[in-house]
């Protein structure tokens, strides 16, 4: 299954009764493993988590830390970019030039990179 298909499959499991906006994310690591996540909302709204955060948590819990490629999919009119917090989370584990494919359930696709999504990212270097 390609990465967008993996993201589309896990999107079906999203818990999004408040926004009715389901999102799926899939990460391929440098080892070639795929981890997936979906958004999980909560009645206490700020406690909800994004699809990307779920996929990253699954990757780290499995003992991996190097993202090679990302796909995110939602049923939006155009490919929805990750929120600001998720951009920072992706930058923690993915190099600036890795591809991030943003897709819609209707078949649109936009390929960008972690560096394009978060120019001037705060990084460990800034704490030297
Ligand atoms: N959401 C994600 O899961 N990922 C994104 O990239 C954008 C937003 C979720 C959070 C919330 O559950 C819903 O979409 C509406 O904001």
């Amino acid at each position: 299954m390609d990465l967008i298909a993996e993201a589309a499959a896990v999107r079906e499991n999203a818990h999004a009764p408040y926004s009715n906006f389901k999102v799926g994310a899939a990460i391929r690591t440098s080892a070639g493993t795929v981890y997936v996540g979906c958004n999980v909302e909560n009645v206490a709204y700020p406690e909800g988590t994004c699809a990307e955060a779920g996929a990253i948590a699954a990757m780290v819990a499995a003992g991996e830390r190097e993202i090679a490629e990302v796909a995110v999919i939602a049923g939006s009119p155009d490919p929805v970019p990750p929120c600001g917090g998720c951009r920072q989370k992706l930058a923690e584990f993915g190099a600036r030039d890795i591809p991030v494919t943003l897709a819609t359930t209707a078949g649109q696709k936009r390929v960008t990179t972690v560096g394009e999504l978060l120019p001037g990212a705060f990084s460990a270097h800034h704490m030297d």
Side-chain angles (χ1 to χ4, degrees):
M1 226 193 294
D2 76 10
L3 215 51
I4 293 175
E6 299 266 10
V10 72
R11 175 182 168 273
E12 298 298 329
N13 296 336
H15 175 67
Y18 308 107
S19 70
N20 284 313
F21 187 69
K22 293 184 164 195
V23 185
I27 288 171
R28 191 185 316 281
T29 64
S30 50
T33 324
V34 173
Y35 297 95
V36 296
C38 55
N39 53 333
V40 182
E41 297 184 349
N42 192 281
V43 64
Y45 295 175
E47 297 304 324
T49 50
C50 286
E52 298 89 329
I56 289 169
M59 173 189 77
V60 174
E64 290 200 56
R65 296 195 177 184
E66 202 176 306
I67 299 177
E69 193 183 348
V70 182
V72 183
I73 190 166
S76 46
D78 49 78
V80 171
C83 77
C86 285
R87 293 173 193 220
Q88 187 72 46
K89 289 181 178 77
L90 291 171
E92 180 74 15
F93 300 105
R96 294 182 52 76
D97 61 345
I98 63 150
V100 180
T101 301
L102 308 172
T104 69
T105 50
Q108 282 187 53
K109 244 202 270 182
R110 183 189 148 215
V111 183
T112 181
T113 63
V114 166
E116 272 175 11
L117 287 169
L118 193 63
F122 175 67
S123 71
H125 149 77
H126 295 104
M127 294 191 295
D128 282 349

